[in-house]
Amino acid sequence: MLVVLALGGNALVRRGEPAEEATQRRNARAAAAAVAEIAREHRVVITHGNGPQVGLLALQSAAYTDVRPYAFDMLGAESAGMISYLLEEALAAELPGRETATLLTLVEVSPNDPAFADPKKPIGPVYDEKESRALAARTSWHFMKDGAGFRRAIASPMPQRIRGLAAVESLVRAGVVLICVGGGGIPVVVQADGSVRGVEAVIDKDFTSAMLAEAIGADALLLLTDVEGVFTDWPHAKGPPLRKATPALLRGHQFAPGSMAPKVEAACRFVERTGRRAMIGAIKNMSKVLKETAGTIVLAD
Ligand code: ADP
Ligand code: MG
């Protein structure tokens, strides 16, 4: 099987967890151990989010005032380099002898995407209400509710086209454990002359991962995060997550924008367009999720 494993940025740096180097390394190691279980039996392409990490880099960039803060295309590229390096380092220990590689992926978005006027992607640390108000007053940043706190919000346009798919496919064919579309890909807009220009945005990796999985003919798409699956009674979840669901059932519920909604929508699109399965579950349960003994399985109506 060929599987796309989308690792949550919020599972690699948990909410409220300081993004220390050692912490990121520890979480990358745990993720790599889970990936390796699957990669020993199947071909895998790894993608990852970058919400907490790109927010951290933005704060670091803003702290050095001799240089204007970097835009989010630059920060996205930095975050993808950092995260995929840590994953490759950890995978080297888990899969000795296996080649790994990372591709920095440019992803085209529309300059007219309505998301540019309505930032909905939470990034960086979680603030309490007072802190977020103080920051909003000092900066031009938008804030949004995320769980019990508030986080900075960035425009998150839909991916339209993944660039460099031929390179992805040839590396997969060569048996390389590949990491790509990190942070949802680096958002670029195509200019009139065919060149590209980066834009101030963070694409949700769930959508880019679904698009990638369809493009490379993946047998399954796993959206792996820090919760066991999709709960219909979130945030007061009492029972277990949904075990199996169709796009029609899922679309009858409302999910949190910027976190569970993009996962559910991305899973539904992959399933509807390919007839194959998508799963949403915890990183630590990854191989059980693939075997459909954990997580939420999304399957065609
Ligand atoms: P990732 O970085 O893995 O994409 P997100 O924060 O974007 O993580 O999405 C996962 C989070 O979605 C969970 O940690 C949980 O707090 C939140 N969430 C919101 N609604 C739900 C729901 N209905 N079921 C499960 N989790 C939910
Ligand atoms: Mg997310």
Side-chain angles (χ1 to χ4, degrees):
M1 272 209 286
L2 172 61
V3 290
V4 169
L5 304 174
L7 310 181
N10 291 289
L12 297 171
V13 173
R14 313 254 157 80
R15 283 176 181 73
E17 185 179 54
E20 294 289 345
E21 192 178 312
T23 310
Q24 295 208 49
R25 228 182 213 108
R26 184 169 6 95
N27 293 342
R29 255 192 235 132
V35 167
E37 275 184 55
I38 295 180
R40 287 189 195 101
E41 280 181 55
H42 303 285
R43 290 180 301 155
V44 300
V45 176
I46 301 162
T47 68
H48 64 80
N50 70 345
Q53 299 84 349
V54 80
L56 169 80
L57 294 175
L59 287 168
Q60 290 177 340
S61 171
Y64 181 60
T65 51
D66 285 6
V67 171
R68 256 174 292 156
Y70 285 9
F72 273 85
D73 55 332
M74 289 274 280
L75 298 170
E78 281 185 35
S79 74
M82 173 173 76
I83 296 165
S84 53
Y85 154 60
L86 290 174
L87 289 171
E88 281 204 57
E89 182 187 59
L91 283 167
E94 294 291 336
L95 295 169
R98 211 49 192 277
E99 267 201 51
T100 60
T102 297
L103 284 176
L104 272 188
T105 316
L106 275 53
V107 173
E108 297 171 11
V109 300
S110 163
N112 306 318
D113 193 304
F116 285 108
D118 184 18
K120 275 212 184 98
K121 164 98 186 152
I123 60 151
V126 181
Y127 301 99
D128 64 30
E129 188 163 6
K130 203 170 138 213
E131 287 169 327
S132 70
R133 275 183 203 279
L135 270 170
R138 269 197 287 124
T139 61
S140 56
W141 301 353
H142 293 271
F143 284 84
M144 67 182 278
K145 195 130 181 60
D146 185 42
F150 291 82
R151 291 171 82 187
R152 187 174 174 190
I154 295 291
S156 191
M158 289 302 289
Q160 296 210 312
R161 196 169 85 89
I162 299 171
R163 296 172 72 96
L165 277 175
V168 171
E169 283 177 328
S170 63
L171 286 165
V172 170
R173 258 197 309 277
V176 173
V177 175
L178 179 66
I179 304 171
C180 63
V181 302
I186 302 162
V188 299
V189 163
V190 181
Q191 312 286 92
D193 65 358
S195 64
V196 294
R197 181 178 49 80
V199 287
E200 181 83 341
V202 177
I203 304 171
D204 204 297
K205 63 93 178 51
D206 300 321
F207 291 121
T208 322
S209 302
M211 188 177 250
L212 175 81
E214 182 186 348
I216 64 175
D219 297 289
L221 166 67
L222 273 66
L223 302 170
L224 301 155
T225 182
D226 57 357
V227 284
E228 302 272 324
V230 182
F231 295 87
T232 48
D233 51 353
W234 191 266
H236 311 289
K238 287 185 200 80
L242 283 172
R243 287 289 306 130
K244 283 203 163 121
T246 61
L249 182 139
L250 288 167
R251 290 219 168 92
H253 293 275
Q254 281 230 322
F255 295 101
S259 59
M260 192 45 74
K263 273 183 224 311
V264 166
E265 184 54 31
C268 289
R269 282 188 201 184
F270 176 74
V271 168
E272 286 168 339
R273 294 172 65 98
T274 65
R276 305 203 174 116
R277 289 173 181 218
M279 295 82 156
I280 299 171
I283 282 200
K284 63 176 170 28
N285 295 337
M286 197 180 307
S287 60
K288 285 189 190 156
V289 172
L290 182 62
K291 292 183 187 120
E292 304 189 1
T293 58
T296 299
I297 321 300
V298 185
L299 68 183
D301 295 294

